[in-house]
Amino acid sequence: MANLKEIRNRISSVSSTMQITSAMKMVSAAKLKKAQDAITAMRPYSNKLSELLQSLSATLDENTGSKYAEQREVENVLIVAVTSNRGLCGAFNSNIIKQTSNLINNVYATKNVSILAIGKKANDAFAKQDRVIANKSEIYDDLTFDNVSEIAEMLMEKFETGEFDKIEIVYNHFKNAATQIVMTEQFLPIVPVETDENVTLDYIFEPSKIEIVEELIPKSLKTQLYKGIRDSFASEHGARMTAMHKATDNATELRDQLKLTYNKARQAAITNEILEIVGGAEALNN
């Protein structure tokens, strides 16, 4: 009977785990809907802003280019690693950490690489290497454009002062609830766009083309960072919902197997007791 008691305890434990994972799945599904709506509504604006900025920048002379477009020899690199503050979301965080490590060890192996962690998981992964210059995990407590703008302004200042020669963002792009794509985007300097010299923009600029570009660049950079973090935020809930769905299915399958094992063991125990009773009765009769 001790074996039966052990199986009963395991069934109870698995059932409790299944209830927890099922509840987490429903919570993530509710949060995912809101996060998905936010990033879906934002993408057209972000893409159009980037397209407009690139079109304007391509028509400017090199001497009149923005300070954020300055191309210089890369010695100091800053990687903005966007992860979550919590786990239980499958390979969501490990994929970002793996891609960031690949940049550090392979792409920029001969450079001085620092990390700006957005999310506790990124901070925990790279703090031991003494590469993290700042941890902005609190951004998820109030994820607004204004709060992200402060981080973007800090990045722009570090590039402008020459502290870093190149800044890249590594984050999960939200495709759907089950699929997240790891993206590596160059934040600074602004990537130059190749255009056809015969194509001209027939626009009237007021006050001037240069002033408009100088005004659009900071706004575009802030929007780019905000979109990346928003993308990652939606991806996190999608990954967690998918992971908890699979965990619930696995727990259900394991519980059913344990119940079958329990019934077989119980049936065997009852059969043994019956055989002992019959054997005892036969012995008394003889």
Side-chain angles (χ1 to χ4, degrees), residues 2-274:
N3 188 34
L4 290 176
K5 182 178 180 181
E6 180 182 346
I7 297 175
R8 281 199 303 269
N9 290 338
R10 290 188 63 189
I11 292 174
S12 177
S13 176
V14 171
S15 297
S16 298
T17 301
M18 187 177 65
Q19 291 177 350
I20 294 172
T21 55
S22 179
M24 291 182 67
K25 172 191 170 184
M26 289 188 290
V27 171
S28 293
K31 291 182 177 180
L32 172 63
K33 181 64 172 64
K34 184 177 179 180
Q36 184 177 356
D37 290 343
I39 187 60
T40 302
M42 181 183 178
R43 277 176 183 166
Y45 170 78
S46 175
N47 294 338
K48 193 64 180 178
L49 182 61
S50 299
E51 178 184 337
L52 178 61
L53 177 62
Q54 291 175 349
S55 298
L56 288 172
S57 300
T59 63
L60 295 176
D61 297 331
E62 294 183 0
N63 297 330
T64 58
S66 169
K67 56 190 175 183
Y68 300 119
E70 179 186 355
Q71 303 288 333
R72 50 185 183 242
E73 185 178 354
V74 177
E75 290 295 336
N76 300 305
V77 180
L78 177 63
I79 299 175
V80 182
V82 185
T83 60
S84 66
N85 287 337
R86 298 185 298 142
L88 296 177
C89 46
F92 174 83
N93 291 313
S94 61
N95 286 340
I96 297 297
I97 294 170
K98 186 184 299 182
Q99 175 64 9
T100 304
S101 298
N102 177 61
L103 292 175
I104 294 172
N105 298 324
N106 298 320
V107 180
Y108 302 117
T110 59
K111 313 298 182 183
N112 299 319
V113 182
S114 300
I115 302 294
L116 174 66
I118 298 181
K120 292 180 180 177
K121 295 301 180 180
N123 182 66
D124 294 343
F126 297 105
K128 298 177 181 179
Q129 302 178 17
D130 197 26
R131 293 183 181 274
V132 179
I133 63 169
N135 179 18
K136 299 295 182 180
S137 303
E138 71 280 356
I139 193 69
Y140 292 116
D141 297 335
D142 187 17
L143 185 53
T144 62
F145 181 79
D146 292 337
N147 290 337
V148 174
S149 294
E150 295 179 2
I151 301 176
E153 289 172 357
M154 180 189 71
L155 296 175
M156 287 186 278
E157 180 183 354
K158 288 183 178 297
F159 179 80
E160 184 181 354
T161 58
E163 183 175 348
F164 293 103
D165 305 311
K166 190 175 184 180
I167 300 177
E168 292 198 320
I169 309 173
V170 181
Y171 67 96
N172 279 293
H173 169 72
F174 177 80
K175 184 176 181 180
N176 53 53
T179 306
Q180 299 80 39
I181 303 172
V182 177
M183 301 290 291
T184 302
E185 289 184 358
Q186 183 169 314
F187 185 70
L188 287 169
I190 298 173
V191 180
V193 182
E194 296 182 0
T195 58
D196 189 349
E197 296 180 356
N198 297 324
V199 177
T200 59
L201 296 176
D202 189 16
Y203 298 140
I204 298 176
F205 298 98
E206 181 66 33
S208 71
K209 188 186 298 185
I210 296 176
E211 291 180 78
I212 292 174
V213 170
E214 289 294 334
E215 180 70 23
L216 280 179
I217 285 177
K219 182 177 291 186
S220 176
L221 290 172
K222 293 174 183 178
T223 303
Q224 180 185 357
L225 182 60
Y226 183 58
K227 180 182 72 70
I229 297 177
R230 269 289 176 191
D231 241 337
S232 178
F233 189 63
S235 297
E236 175 192 349
H237 292 302
R240 182 170 290 111
M241 186 187 74
T242 302
M244 291 302 99
H245 175 73
K246 292 181 179 178
T248 302
D249 290 345
N250 291 337
T252 302
E253 182 180 352
L254 179 58
R255 183 195 61 179
D256 293 342
Q257 290 177 354
L258 287 172
K259 282 185 176 181
L260 182 61
T261 303
Y262 174 80
N263 290 333
K264 289 181 178 179
R266 184 169 175 269
Q267 185 178 14
I270 293 173
T271 302
N272 288 334
E273 290 179 1
I274 293 175

